[in-house]
Amino acid sequence: MAQYALEVQSLTKRIGKKTIVDDVSFSIEKGEIFGLLGPNGAGKTTIIRMIVSLINRTGGHVIVNGHNLDEAFKETMSEIGAIVENPEFYKYMSGYKNLIHYARMADKEIPESRIEEVIELVGLKNAIHNKVKTYSLGMRQRLGVAQALLHNPSLLVLDEPTNGLDPQGIREFRDYLHSLASQGISVLVSSHLLSEMQLMCNRFAIIDKGKLTHISNMNDSVEGSDQELRDVIFEVENVENAVELLKTNGLIKEVKASKGQEFTIAIKRDTIARANQILVQNNIDVYGISSVKATLEDRFLELTNKDQKEQSL
C-alpha cells in the first residue's frame, strides 16, 4: 500500500531560459490537507497544473498513491480530482443534471448511488435540482467539488478555491474539506489567504520565485518550539513588583507592553511555569497567563523576509 497520497519529486518547469519552477519536492500523507503558499507569480499554479497534467513538466516525477504519472497515466489520473480554475457548468441545467453529464464522460461507470453520495457530502441536497444559474458562488464551488469527487479520487487538488467567496462561504467550504480529510481523502490547496490557510491546513509549503523555501507542520510553525521566544501576557495583582521579580531572577530583560493588571513579555515556553512559580512564591497573585499566538501571516513574512535577506548576502 502506498505510503503517501502524493509525492512530488524534483518538479521543474522551464520556458526558454527562464525557470518557473525549480526542483520542488514534497509529499502529502493520506487524509492530510496540505497548503501551497506564496506571493503571486511564485509558481504555485504552475506546480498544480503540472501535477494534474494540464501542462508538461520539464523534469521531475508525480506519484499518486504509488502510481507514477509517467508510467501509468490513466491509473494515476483516476486518483486525482481537481478544480484548477472556477468550475464551469451548464447554467440552464440543474446541479443534478450537470453531475449526470460529467458522470457519463468518466472513464469508468459511476452509479447513481455515487452521485447521491457526493451530493450529500458537499451539502447540496436541498438545492441540487435547482438550475445552476440560481446558485451562489459558494454553491457552485461545492458543486465543483462534487464533480471532482464523482470518480472517488484519493487526492483532491484545488487552486485558489475560496476566491470570491464571502466569509460564510469560506467557512462552509473549509468545513467540507475537513470532512473529506476525515474520510481519508487528501487535499492539496493553494491560496494567498493566509488566515484561511492557517485554519484549513495540517501542513504547508512556501513557494517563492519557483523554489520551495520552507515546509512544516502548521501548529509547530505558528506556535514555535519550546526554545523560541514568544509573547506571553501575565495578569497579576501587582505588575511593578512582578516585573521586578522576573528581572531579578534573570527570566526577562524588558516588558513589551503593560496595561492595568496585565503585562506582556517575550519568554521561552519552557520558562513560563518557572516565572509563574516565582511570582506565587513571592505572594503575588497570578490571575491569568495567556500566549499571544503568532499568525501564519506573521510566520510567512518572517520566513520570506529571512530568505530575501539571506539571498542578498
Side-chain angles (χ1 to χ4, degrees):
M1 189 174 180
Q3 181 179 1
Y4 296 110
L6 172 68
E7 293 177 76
V8 171
Q9 302 174 348
S10 300
L11 207 60
T12 302
K13 178 65 176 180
R14 285 189 292 271
I15 299 177
K17 293 183 178 180
K18 186 176 182 180
T19 300
I20 309 299
V21 175
D22 189 1
D23 196 29
V24 169
S25 298
F26 60 86
S27 58
I28 301 178
E29 297 177 3
K30 295 180 185 300
E32 179 180 37
I33 302 177
F34 187 93
L36 279 184
L37 308 180
N40 290 336
K44 305 187 301 297
T45 295
T46 302
I47 290 171
I48 282 180
R49 286 176 174 271
M50 286 192 284
I51 290 172
V52 301
S53 293
L54 286 177
I55 59 174
N56 293 327
R57 288 164 279 135
T58 303
H61 298 281
V62 175
I63 301 170
V64 182
N65 253 0
H67 300 296
N68 191 310
L69 190 59
D70 294 325
E71 298 170 359
F73 181 83
K74 189 173 181 180
E75 290 85 349
T76 306
M77 293 304 296
S78 69
E79 297 281 355
I80 302 175
I83 303 177
V84 177
E85 296 177 345
N86 289 333
E88 293 294 333
F89 296 100
Y90 296 104
K91 294 181 181 179
Y92 61 88
M93 290 167 52
S94 68
Y96 188 81
K97 288 184 177 179
N98 270 279
L99 292 182
I100 291 287
H101 174 69
Y102 280 106
R104 287 170 178 166
M105 293 193 297
D107 288 336
K108 61 182 180 181
E109 184 178 351
I110 296 175
E112 190 172 337
S113 59
R114 176 59 184 170
I115 297 174
E116 296 290 346
E117 185 179 344
V118 296
I119 291 169
E120 185 76 33
L121 190 62
V122 301
L124 280 178
K125 190 173 182 179
N126 294 331
I128 197 62
H129 293 292
N130 298 339
K131 291 183 178 181
V132 171
K133 67 181 181 181
T134 67
Y135 283 15
S136 67
L137 181 57
M139 292 168 71
R140 290 200 298 272
Q141 288 290 74
R142 282 187 267 160
L143 187 62
V145 173
Q147 181 265 316
L149 292 174
L150 278 176
H151 61 290
N152 203 22
S154 59
L155 173 68
L156 189 60
V157 180
L158 307 170
D159 186 25
E160 299 283 0
T162 56
N163 266 359
L165 296 185
D166 60 22
Q168 179 67 25
I170 290 174
R171 180 170 184 172
E172 289 177 358
F173 193 78
R174 182 206 318 146
D175 290 342
Y176 294 134
L177 292 189
H178 286 156
S179 175
L180 294 175
S182 69
Q183 298 176 50
I185 296 174
S186 304
V187 182
L188 171 63
V189 55
S190 80
S191 178
H192 64 281
L193 299 176
L194 300 183
S195 59
E196 182 53 37
M197 293 290 269
Q198 182 173 344
L199 296 171
M200 186 183 295
C201 300
N202 305 111
R203 287 191 303 140
F204 71 96
I206 293 177
I207 307 296
D208 193 18
K209 297 177 182 176
K211 291 180 177 288
L212 192 155
T213 61
H214 181 82
I215 186 168
S216 73
N217 178 282
M218 184 66 73
N219 289 334
D220 291 346
S221 184
V222 172
E223 294 177 3
S225 70
D226 287 355
Q227 295 304 308
E228 286 183 317
L229 290 174
R230 65 190 60 205
D231 289 348
V232 176
I233 300 172
F234 281 77
E235 184 182 0
V236 297
E237 175 193 9
N238 188 310
V239 169
E240 188 176 339
N241 289 349
V243 169
E244 187 60 35
L245 267 172
L246 296 181
K247 286 182 177 179
T248 301
N249 284 271
L251 296 184
I252 63 170
K253 292 183 179 180
E254 62 179 2
V255 174
K256 301 190 72 172
S258 179
K259 182 179 180 181
Q261 291 185 303
E262 294 182 348
F263 65 95
T264 304
I265 56 176
I267 191 171
K268 295 177 181 178
R269 182 176 181 274
D270 57 2
T271 310
I272 296 174
R274 175 62 180 153
N276 180 57
Q277 183 181 42
I278 288 173
L279 295 176
V280 173
Q281 286 176 344
N282 286 272
N283 299 317
I284 294 179
D285 291 336
V286 179
Y287 304 126
I289 302 173
S290 57
S291 293
V292 180
K293 284 192 175 184
T295 65
L296 180 58
E297 181 178 352
D298 296 330
R299 190 60 169 153
F300 177 81
L301 293 174
E302 176 189 334
L303 291 166
T304 51
N305 289 338
K306 177 183 176 183
D307 291 334
Q308 290 171 4
K309 288 178 181 178
E310 290 176 349
Q311 290 171 11
S312 63
L313 294 177

